[in-house]
Amino acid sequence: SGKIVCTGAKSIDDVHEALGIIFDKLRELSIPVDDEPEITVQNIVSSADLGHNLNLNALAIGLGLEDVEYEPEQFPGLVYRMDEPKVVILLFGSGKIVITGGKRTDDAETAVEEIVERIDALGLLG
């Protein structure tokens, strides 16, 4: 199809740099590549540590069962689907979290602020 997927980069600048190298190598092989190919960020994955242990059973109920998947026998984390920003947050009993599905770098920061606010409002932080 001519599409390229770049994974594992630590920043958006790294994505552009890596793809620039690939584009140059393809051109060296006489494979036509546009001068400015469109680069679209599809999924930014971030992590954070809330600094407090979390009661995932209480969170599963408090956050609303319609937005939560929690099956500790299958996976040790609670999966929370947030509407705004549209990301998925994995919460672990240790207080560590992973935010995935962001399209912009500030989606993760907004998601962390929002989830901390929700957990704190439930009285389950700390």
Side-chain angles (χ1 to χ4, degrees):
S1 70
K3 294 188 179 195
I4 297 173
V5 176
C6 176
T7 63
K10 298 292 183 190
S11 71
I12 291 178
D13 287 341
D14 287 353
V15 170
H16 287 271
E17 182 180 346
L19 290 175
I21 292 167
I22 295 299
F23 297 153
D24 289 344
K25 299 252 184 226
L26 291 171
R27 289 181 188 112
E28 287 172 16
L29 296 169
S30 300
I31 297 171
V33 177
D34 291 345
D35 289 339
E36 294 291 326
E38 180 183 353
I39 298 173
T40 306
V41 175
Q42 296 291 330
N43 182 25
I44 297 175
V45 179
S46 308
S47 62
D49 188 343
L50 301 181
H52 301 280
N53 287 339
L54 299 173
N55 179 337
L56 299 183
N57 288 315
L59 272 176
I61 295 164
L63 291 173
L65 296 174
E66 62 278 351
D67 296 321
V68 169
E69 291 175 38
Y70 183 50
E71 297 182 44
E73 315 81 36
Q74 301 294 320
F75 180 69
L78 181 149
V79 179
Y80 180 63
R81 297 185 188 285
M82 186 175 278
D83 290 329
E84 192 54 47
K86 190 158 181 60
V87 298
V88 175
I89 303 175
L90 307 177
L91 298 108
F92 297 92
S94 65
K96 294 193 184 329
I97 65 173
V98 175
I99 303 103
T100 185
K103 303 276 188 200
R104 301 184 330 252
T105 53
D106 62 341
D107 284 347
E109 188 174 326
T110 303
V112 170
E113 291 168 2
E114 182 66 29
I115 197 66
V116 166
E117 188 177 298
R118 290 181 189 181
I119 294 170
D120 195 31
L122 293 168
L124 298 172
L125 192 61

